[in-house]
Short mmCIF file of all heavy atoms in Angstrom, two decimals:
data_model
loop_
_atom_site.label_atom_id
_atom_site.label_comp_id
_atom_site.label_asym_id
_atom_site.label_seq_id
_atom_site.Cartn_x
_atom_site.Cartn_y
_atom_site.Cartn_z
N MET A 1 -12.04 13.89 -1.41
CA MET A 1 -10.71 14.45 -1.23
C MET A 1 -9.83 13.52 -0.41
O MET A 1 -8.71 13.23 -0.79
CB MET A 1 -10.84 15.83 -0.58
CG MET A 1 -9.55 16.49 -0.26
SD MET A 1 -8.72 16.95 -1.77
CE MET A 1 -7.33 17.79 -1.13
N THR A 2 -10.35 13.04 0.71
CA THR A 2 -9.58 12.16 1.59
C THR A 2 -9.25 10.85 0.90
O THR A 2 -8.14 10.34 1.02
CB THR A 2 -10.36 11.90 2.89
OG1 THR A 2 -10.67 13.15 3.50
CG2 THR A 2 -9.53 11.07 3.85
N MET A 3 -10.21 10.28 0.18
CA MET A 3 -9.98 9.01 -0.51
C MET A 3 -8.94 9.18 -1.60
O MET A 3 -8.15 8.26 -1.86
CB MET A 3 -11.28 8.47 -1.11
CG MET A 3 -12.23 7.89 -0.09
SD MET A 3 -11.50 6.51 0.80
CE MET A 3 -11.55 7.13 2.46
N GLY A 4 -8.88 10.34 -2.22
CA GLY A 4 -7.86 10.61 -3.23
C GLY A 4 -6.46 10.60 -2.63
O GLY A 4 -5.52 10.05 -3.20
N ILE A 5 -6.33 11.20 -1.46
CA ILE A 5 -5.04 11.23 -0.77
C ILE A 5 -4.64 9.82 -0.36
O ILE A 5 -3.47 9.43 -0.51
CB ILE A 5 -5.10 12.17 0.45
CG1 ILE A 5 -5.28 13.61 -0.03
CG2 ILE A 5 -3.85 12.04 1.31
CD1 ILE A 5 -5.59 14.60 1.06
N ILE A 6 -5.60 9.04 0.15
CA ILE A 6 -5.30 7.66 0.55
C ILE A 6 -4.92 6.83 -0.67
O ILE A 6 -4.00 6.00 -0.60
CB ILE A 6 -6.50 7.05 1.30
CG1 ILE A 6 -6.70 7.75 2.64
CG2 ILE A 6 -6.29 5.55 1.52
CD1 ILE A 6 -7.93 7.32 3.39
N ALA A 7 -5.57 7.07 -1.80
CA ALA A 7 -5.25 6.34 -3.03
C ALA A 7 -3.83 6.66 -3.49
O ALA A 7 -3.08 5.76 -3.88
CB ALA A 7 -6.25 6.66 -4.11
N ILE A 8 -3.45 7.91 -3.46
CA ILE A 8 -2.10 8.31 -3.87
C ILE A 8 -1.07 7.71 -2.92
O ILE A 8 -0.03 7.19 -3.35
CB ILE A 8 -1.98 9.85 -3.93
CG1 ILE A 8 -2.83 10.38 -5.09
CG2 ILE A 8 -0.52 10.28 -4.09
CD1 ILE A 8 -2.98 11.89 -5.10
N ALA A 9 -1.35 7.76 -1.62
CA ALA A 9 -0.44 7.18 -0.64
C ALA A 9 -0.30 5.67 -0.86
O ALA A 9 0.81 5.12 -0.77
CB ALA A 9 -0.93 7.47 0.78
N SER A 10 -1.39 5.01 -1.17
CA SER A 10 -1.36 3.57 -1.41
C SER A 10 -0.46 3.23 -2.59
O SER A 10 0.34 2.30 -2.53
CB SER A 10 -2.78 3.05 -1.65
OG SER A 10 -2.79 1.67 -1.87
N VAL A 11 -0.59 4.00 -3.66
CA VAL A 11 0.26 3.77 -4.84
C VAL A 11 1.73 3.97 -4.47
O VAL A 11 2.60 3.18 -4.86
CB VAL A 11 -0.16 4.70 -5.99
CG1 VAL A 11 0.85 4.68 -7.11
CG2 VAL A 11 -1.54 4.33 -6.50
N ILE A 12 2.03 5.00 -3.71
CA ILE A 12 3.41 5.26 -3.29
C ILE A 12 3.93 4.12 -2.42
O ILE A 12 5.08 3.68 -2.58
CB ILE A 12 3.51 6.62 -2.57
CG1 ILE A 12 3.26 7.75 -3.57
CG2 ILE A 12 4.86 6.79 -1.90
CD1 ILE A 12 3.10 9.11 -2.95
N PHE A 13 3.10 3.61 -1.51
CA PHE A 13 3.52 2.48 -0.66
C PHE A 13 3.90 1.27 -1.51
O PHE A 13 4.94 0.65 -1.31
CB PHE A 13 2.43 2.09 0.33
CG PHE A 13 2.10 3.15 1.36
CD1 PHE A 13 0.82 3.24 1.88
CD2 PHE A 13 3.05 4.03 1.81
CE1 PHE A 13 0.50 4.20 2.83
CE2 PHE A 13 2.75 5.00 2.76
CZ PHE A 13 1.47 5.08 3.27
N TRP A 14 3.03 0.94 -2.49
CA TRP A 14 3.28 -0.25 -3.30
C TRP A 14 4.47 -0.05 -4.24
O TRP A 14 5.22 -1.00 -4.49
CB TRP A 14 2.03 -0.65 -4.06
CG TRP A 14 0.99 -1.23 -3.14
CD1 TRP A 14 -0.25 -0.72 -2.90
CD2 TRP A 14 1.11 -2.40 -2.32
NE1 TRP A 14 -0.90 -1.52 -1.98
CE2 TRP A 14 -0.09 -2.55 -1.61
CE3 TRP A 14 2.12 -3.33 -2.12
CZ2 TRP A 14 -0.32 -3.60 -0.72
CZ3 TRP A 14 1.90 -4.38 -1.22
CH2 TRP A 14 0.70 -4.50 -0.54
N ILE A 15 4.68 1.15 -4.73
CA ILE A 15 5.87 1.42 -5.56
C ILE A 15 7.13 1.26 -4.72
O ILE A 15 8.13 0.70 -5.19
CB ILE A 15 5.78 2.82 -6.20
CG1 ILE A 15 4.72 2.84 -7.29
CG2 ILE A 15 7.13 3.27 -6.75
CD1 ILE A 15 4.42 4.21 -7.86
N THR A 16 7.09 1.73 -3.48
CA THR A 16 8.24 1.59 -2.59
C THR A 16 8.55 0.12 -2.32
O THR A 16 9.72 -0.28 -2.33
CB THR A 16 7.99 2.34 -1.26
OG1 THR A 16 7.68 3.70 -1.54
CG2 THR A 16 9.21 2.27 -0.35
N VAL A 17 7.52 -0.67 -2.08
CA VAL A 17 7.73 -2.11 -1.84
C VAL A 17 8.33 -2.76 -3.09
O VAL A 17 9.29 -3.54 -2.99
CB VAL A 17 6.40 -2.81 -1.46
CG1 VAL A 17 6.56 -4.33 -1.47
CG2 VAL A 17 5.92 -2.34 -0.10
N THR A 18 7.80 -2.44 -4.25
CA THR A 18 8.30 -3.01 -5.50
C THR A 18 9.76 -2.62 -5.73
O THR A 18 10.59 -3.46 -6.11
CB THR A 18 7.44 -2.55 -6.69
OG1 THR A 18 6.08 -2.88 -6.44
CG2 THR A 18 7.90 -3.17 -7.98
N TYR A 19 10.08 -1.37 -5.48
CA TYR A 19 11.46 -0.90 -5.64
C TYR A 19 12.39 -1.64 -4.68
O TYR A 19 13.49 -2.05 -5.06
CB TYR A 19 11.53 0.61 -5.41
CG TYR A 19 12.93 1.16 -5.45
CD1 TYR A 19 13.62 1.29 -6.66
CD2 TYR A 19 13.58 1.54 -4.28
CE1 TYR A 19 14.91 1.78 -6.69
CE2 TYR A 19 14.87 2.02 -4.31
CZ TYR A 19 15.54 2.14 -5.52
OH TYR A 19 16.82 2.61 -5.55
N GLU A 20 11.97 -1.78 -3.44
CA GLU A 20 12.81 -2.44 -2.43
C GLU A 20 13.01 -3.92 -2.77
O GLU A 20 14.09 -4.46 -2.59
CB GLU A 20 12.17 -2.28 -1.05
CG GLU A 20 13.08 -2.56 0.10
CD GLU A 20 14.23 -1.58 0.25
OE1 GLU A 20 14.08 -0.40 -0.10
OE2 GLU A 20 15.30 -2.01 0.74
N LEU A 21 11.98 -4.56 -3.29
CA LEU A 21 12.10 -5.98 -3.65
C LEU A 21 12.93 -6.18 -4.92
O LEU A 21 13.44 -7.29 -5.14
CB LEU A 21 10.71 -6.59 -3.84
CG LEU A 21 9.93 -6.82 -2.55
CD1 LEU A 21 8.51 -7.26 -2.88
CD2 LEU A 21 10.62 -7.83 -1.65
N SER A 22 13.08 -5.15 -5.72
CA SER A 22 13.88 -5.29 -6.94
C SER A 22 15.38 -5.22 -6.66
O SER A 22 16.18 -5.56 -7.52
CB SER A 22 13.49 -4.22 -7.96
OG SER A 22 13.89 -2.94 -7.52
N LYS A 23 15.75 -4.79 -5.47
CA LYS A 23 17.16 -4.74 -5.09
C LYS A 23 17.68 -6.15 -4.85
O LYS A 23 16.90 -7.09 -4.62
CB LYS A 23 17.34 -3.92 -3.81
CG LYS A 23 17.03 -2.46 -3.94
CD LYS A 23 17.25 -1.78 -2.61
CE LYS A 23 16.93 -0.31 -2.62
NZ LYS A 23 17.11 0.29 -1.29
N SER A 24 18.98 -6.30 -4.85
CA SER A 24 19.55 -7.60 -4.52
C SER A 24 19.26 -7.92 -3.06
O SER A 24 19.03 -7.03 -2.24
CB SER A 24 21.06 -7.61 -4.78
OG SER A 24 21.70 -6.69 -3.91
N SER A 25 19.27 -9.21 -2.74
CA SER A 25 18.84 -9.63 -1.40
C SER A 25 19.75 -9.08 -0.30
O SER A 25 19.33 -8.91 0.84
CB SER A 25 18.77 -11.15 -1.31
OG SER A 25 20.03 -11.72 -1.60
N GLU A 26 21.01 -8.77 -0.62
CA GLU A 26 21.91 -8.22 0.40
C GLU A 26 21.56 -6.78 0.74
O GLU A 26 21.81 -6.32 1.85
CB GLU A 26 23.37 -8.27 -0.09
CG GLU A 26 23.91 -9.66 -0.31
CD GLU A 26 23.63 -10.18 -1.71
OE1 GLU A 26 23.48 -9.36 -2.63
OE2 GLU A 26 23.55 -11.40 -1.86
N LYS A 27 20.97 -6.06 -0.23
CA LYS A 27 20.68 -4.64 -0.03
C LYS A 27 19.24 -4.37 0.39
O LYS A 27 18.89 -3.24 0.68
CB LYS A 27 20.98 -3.87 -1.31
CG LYS A 27 22.45 -3.86 -1.66
CD LYS A 27 22.71 -3.03 -2.89
CE LYS A 27 24.18 -3.02 -3.24
NZ LYS A 27 24.46 -2.20 -4.42
N GLN A 28 18.41 -5.41 0.44
CA GLN A 28 17.01 -5.21 0.81
C GLN A 28 16.89 -4.89 2.29
O GLN A 28 17.59 -5.47 3.12
CB GLN A 28 16.18 -6.45 0.50
CG GLN A 28 15.94 -6.67 -0.96
CD GLN A 28 15.13 -7.93 -1.23
OE1 GLN A 28 14.83 -8.69 -0.31
NE2 GLN A 28 14.80 -8.15 -2.48
N ASN A 29 16.00 -3.98 2.60
CA ASN A 29 15.71 -3.62 3.98
C ASN A 29 14.39 -4.29 4.36
O ASN A 29 13.31 -3.82 3.98
CB ASN A 29 15.63 -2.10 4.11
CG ASN A 29 15.47 -1.65 5.53
OD1 ASN A 29 15.10 -2.42 6.41
ND2 ASN A 29 15.73 -0.37 5.78
N ASN A 30 14.47 -5.40 5.10
CA ASN A 30 13.27 -6.17 5.43
C ASN A 30 12.29 -5.38 6.28
O ASN A 30 11.07 -5.55 6.14
CB ASN A 30 13.64 -7.48 6.12
CG ASN A 30 14.32 -8.45 5.17
OD1 ASN A 30 14.08 -8.40 3.97
ND2 ASN A 30 15.16 -9.31 5.69
N ARG A 31 12.78 -4.53 7.14
CA ARG A 31 11.89 -3.71 7.97
C ARG A 31 11.08 -2.74 7.10
O ARG A 31 9.89 -2.56 7.31
CB ARG A 31 12.69 -2.94 9.01
CG ARG A 31 11.82 -2.09 9.92
CD ARG A 31 12.62 -1.46 11.02
NE ARG A 31 12.99 -2.49 11.98
CZ ARG A 31 13.93 -2.37 12.88
NH1 ARG A 31 14.62 -1.25 12.96
NH2 ARG A 31 14.19 -3.33 13.72
N LYS A 32 11.74 -2.15 6.11
CA LYS A 32 11.05 -1.24 5.20
C LYS A 32 10.02 -2.00 4.37
O LYS A 32 8.90 -1.52 4.17
CB LYS A 32 12.06 -0.56 4.27
CG LYS A 32 11.45 0.49 3.37
CD LYS A 32 12.45 1.04 2.38
CE LYS A 32 13.29 2.12 2.99
NZ LYS A 32 14.15 2.79 1.98
N ILE A 33 10.38 -3.19 3.89
CA ILE A 33 9.45 -4.00 3.11
C ILE A 33 8.22 -4.35 3.94
O ILE A 33 7.09 -4.21 3.49
CB ILE A 33 10.14 -5.28 2.59
CG1 ILE A 33 11.21 -4.93 1.56
CG2 ILE A 33 9.12 -6.25 1.98
CD1 ILE A 33 12.10 -6.09 1.16
N PHE A 34 8.43 -4.80 5.17
CA PHE A 34 7.30 -5.16 6.04
C PHE A 34 6.42 -3.96 6.33
O PHE A 34 5.18 -4.04 6.23
CB PHE A 34 7.82 -5.77 7.34
CG PHE A 34 6.74 -6.09 8.31
CD1 PHE A 34 5.97 -7.23 8.15
CD2 PHE A 34 6.45 -5.26 9.38
CE1 PHE A 34 4.94 -7.53 9.03
CE2 PHE A 34 5.43 -5.54 10.25
CZ PHE A 34 4.68 -6.69 10.08
N THR A 35 7.03 -2.83 6.66
CA THR A 35 6.26 -1.63 7.01
C THR A 35 5.42 -1.14 5.85
O THR A 35 4.22 -0.89 5.99
CB THR A 35 7.21 -0.51 7.48
OG1 THR A 35 7.97 -0.98 8.60
CG2 THR A 35 6.43 0.74 7.86
N PHE A 36 6.03 -1.02 4.68
CA PHE A 36 5.30 -0.49 3.54
C PHE A 36 4.28 -1.49 2.99
O PHE A 36 3.25 -1.09 2.45
CB PHE A 36 6.25 -0.01 2.46
CG PHE A 36 6.85 1.33 2.76
CD1 PHE A 36 8.18 1.46 3.12
CD2 PHE A 36 6.07 2.48 2.71
CE1 PHE A 36 8.72 2.69 3.42
CE2 PHE A 36 6.60 3.72 3.01
CZ PHE A 36 7.93 3.83 3.37
N THR A 37 4.55 -2.79 3.15
CA THR A 37 3.54 -3.78 2.76
C THR A 37 2.33 -3.68 3.68
O THR A 37 1.18 -3.74 3.22
CB THR A 37 4.13 -5.20 2.80
OG1 THR A 37 5.24 -5.27 1.91
CG2 THR A 37 3.11 -6.24 2.39
N ALA A 38 2.56 -3.52 4.98
CA ALA A 38 1.45 -3.38 5.92
C ALA A 38 0.66 -2.10 5.64
O ALA A 38 -0.58 -2.12 5.63
CB ALA A 38 1.99 -3.37 7.35
N LEU A 39 1.36 -0.99 5.39
CA LEU A 39 0.67 0.27 5.09
C LEU A 39 -0.09 0.18 3.77
O LEU A 39 -1.21 0.68 3.66
CB LEU A 39 1.68 1.42 5.04
CG LEU A 39 2.28 1.84 6.37
CD1 LEU A 39 3.42 2.83 6.15
CD2 LEU A 39 1.22 2.42 7.28
N GLY A 40 0.50 -0.45 2.77
CA GLY A 40 -0.17 -0.61 1.49
C GLY A 40 -1.41 -1.48 1.60
O GLY A 40 -2.45 -1.19 1.01
N THR A 41 -1.31 -2.55 2.38
CA THR A 41 -2.46 -3.42 2.59
C THR A 41 -3.58 -2.68 3.32
O THR A 41 -4.75 -2.78 2.93
CB THR A 41 -2.04 -4.67 3.39
OG1 THR A 41 -1.00 -5.34 2.69
CG2 THR A 41 -3.21 -5.62 3.60
N LEU A 42 -3.24 -1.95 4.35
CA LEU A 42 -4.24 -1.20 5.11
C LEU A 42 -4.91 -0.13 4.25
O LEU A 42 -6.14 -0.01 4.25
CB LEU A 42 -3.59 -0.55 6.34
CG LEU A 42 -4.50 0.26 7.24
CD1 LEU A 42 -5.59 -0.63 7.84
CD2 LEU A 42 -3.71 0.94 8.34
N SER A 43 -4.12 0.60 3.49
CA SER A 43 -4.72 1.65 2.65
C SER A 43 -5.57 1.05 1.53
O SER A 43 -6.63 1.59 1.20
CB SER A 43 -3.63 2.56 2.07
OG SER A 43 -2.75 1.84 1.26
N THR A 44 -5.16 -0.08 0.98
CA THR A 44 -5.96 -0.75 -0.04
C THR A 44 -7.26 -1.26 0.55
O THR A 44 -8.32 -1.17 -0.07
CB THR A 44 -5.17 -1.90 -0.68
OG1 THR A 44 -3.96 -1.37 -1.23
CG2 THR A 44 -5.97 -2.60 -1.76
N LEU A 45 -7.21 -1.78 1.76
CA LEU A 45 -8.42 -2.25 2.44
C LEU A 45 -9.39 -1.09 2.70
O LEU A 45 -10.60 -1.23 2.47
CB LEU A 45 -8.05 -2.94 3.76
CG LEU A 45 -9.19 -3.51 4.58
CD1 LEU A 45 -9.88 -4.64 3.81
CD2 LEU A 45 -8.67 -4.01 5.90
N ILE A 46 -8.87 0.04 3.13
CA ILE A 46 -9.71 1.21 3.36
C ILE A 46 -10.39 1.65 2.06
O ILE A 46 -11.59 1.94 2.04
CB ILE A 46 -8.88 2.38 3.95
CG1 ILE A 46 -8.45 2.05 5.38
CG2 ILE A 46 -9.65 3.69 3.91
CD1 ILE A 46 -7.42 3.00 5.95
N LEU A 47 -9.62 1.67 0.97
CA LEU A 47 -10.19 2.06 -0.32
C LEU A 47 -11.25 1.07 -0.79
O LEU A 47 -12.29 1.46 -1.34
CB LEU A 47 -9.09 2.19 -1.37
CG LEU A 47 -8.13 3.36 -1.17
CD1 LEU A 47 -6.95 3.23 -2.12
CD2 LEU A 47 -8.84 4.67 -1.36
N THR A 48 -11.00 -0.22 -0.58
CA THR A 48 -11.96 -1.25 -1.00
C THR A 48 -13.26 -1.14 -0.21
O THR A 48 -14.36 -1.20 -0.78
CB THR A 48 -11.35 -2.64 -0.84
OG1 THR A 48 -10.13 -2.70 -1.59
CG2 THR A 48 -12.30 -3.72 -1.32
N VAL A 49 -13.16 -0.98 1.10
CA VAL A 49 -14.36 -0.85 1.94
C VAL A 49 -15.13 0.40 1.55
O VAL A 49 -16.36 0.37 1.42
CB VAL A 49 -13.97 -0.83 3.43
CG1 VAL A 49 -15.14 -0.41 4.30
CG2 VAL A 49 -13.45 -2.20 3.86
N SER A 50 -14.43 1.49 1.31
CA SER A 50 -15.09 2.74 0.90
C SER A 50 -15.80 2.56 -0.43
O SER A 50 -16.92 3.06 -0.63
CB SER A 50 -14.07 3.86 0.81
OG SER A 50 -14.65 5.02 0.30
N LEU A 51 -15.17 1.85 -1.35
CA LEU A 51 -15.78 1.62 -2.66
C LEU A 51 -17.08 0.84 -2.53
O LEU A 51 -18.09 1.19 -3.13
CB LEU A 51 -14.80 0.86 -3.56
CG LEU A 51 -15.33 0.42 -4.92
CD1 LEU A 51 -15.57 1.65 -5.80
CD2 LEU A 51 -14.37 -0.53 -5.58
N PHE A 52 -17.08 -0.21 -1.72
CA PHE A 52 -18.29 -1.01 -1.55
C PHE A 52 -19.37 -0.27 -0.77
O PHE A 52 -20.56 -0.46 -1.00
CB PHE A 52 -17.97 -2.35 -0.88
CG PHE A 52 -17.43 -3.36 -1.86
CD1 PHE A 52 -16.11 -3.74 -1.82
CD2 PHE A 52 -18.25 -3.91 -2.83
CE1 PHE A 52 -15.61 -4.66 -2.72
CE2 PHE A 52 -17.77 -4.84 -3.74
CZ PHE A 52 -16.44 -5.21 -3.69
N GLN A 53 -18.98 0.58 0.17
CA GLN A 53 -19.96 1.36 0.91
C GLN A 53 -20.65 2.40 0.01
O GLN A 53 -21.83 2.68 0.18
CB GLN A 53 -19.32 2.08 2.09
CG GLN A 53 -19.03 1.18 3.26
CD GLN A 53 -18.39 1.93 4.41
OE1 GLN A 53 -17.92 3.06 4.25
NE2 GLN A 53 -18.37 1.32 5.58
N ASN A 54 -19.91 2.93 -0.96
CA ASN A 54 -20.46 3.94 -1.84
C ASN A 54 -21.18 3.36 -3.05
O ASN A 54 -21.79 4.10 -3.80
CB ASN A 54 -19.37 4.90 -2.30
CG ASN A 54 -18.85 5.76 -1.17
OD1 ASN A 54 -19.57 6.05 -0.22
ND2 ASN A 54 -17.60 6.15 -1.26
N SER A 55 -21.08 2.05 -3.24
CA SER A 55 -21.77 1.44 -4.38
C SER A 55 -23.18 1.04 -3.97
O SER A 55 -23.51 0.91 -2.79
CB SER A 55 -21.01 0.21 -4.87
OG SER A 55 -21.09 -0.82 -3.94
N ASN A 56 -24.04 0.83 -4.93
CA ASN A 56 -25.41 0.45 -4.64
C ASN A 56 -25.63 -1.06 -4.80
O ASN A 56 -26.76 -1.50 -4.98
CB ASN A 56 -26.36 1.20 -5.58
CG ASN A 56 -26.36 2.69 -5.30
OD1 ASN A 56 -26.19 3.09 -4.15
ND2 ASN A 56 -26.52 3.49 -6.33
N LEU A 57 -24.56 -1.82 -4.74
CA LEU A 57 -24.66 -3.26 -4.93
C LEU A 57 -25.23 -3.97 -3.70
O LEU A 57 -25.90 -4.98 -3.82
CB LEU A 57 -23.30 -3.85 -5.29
CG LEU A 57 -22.67 -3.35 -6.58
CD1 LEU A 57 -21.27 -3.91 -6.74
CD2 LEU A 57 -23.54 -3.75 -7.76
N PHE A 58 -24.94 -3.44 -2.53
CA PHE A 58 -25.36 -4.12 -1.29
C PHE A 58 -26.31 -3.25 -0.50
O PHE A 58 -26.22 -2.14 -0.34
CB PHE A 58 -24.15 -4.49 -0.44
CG PHE A 58 -23.22 -5.41 -1.15
CD1 PHE A 58 -22.03 -4.96 -1.69
CD2 PHE A 58 -23.53 -6.76 -1.31
CE1 PHE A 58 -21.16 -5.81 -2.34
CE2 PHE A 58 -22.69 -7.62 -1.95
CZ PHE A 58 -21.50 -7.15 -2.48
#
């Protein structure tokens, strides 16, 4: 359940970054881009670590 919520949040973070980067450079909010990129990276890292911990590869 928790990983599902983190996965949905991660997708929303990356969509927000993509949307913000698609704007013209005068209208881009660099603080928003930095914040959502950091949150997206952190949530993706959490999901990746969880995936490897739950796999039987290691």
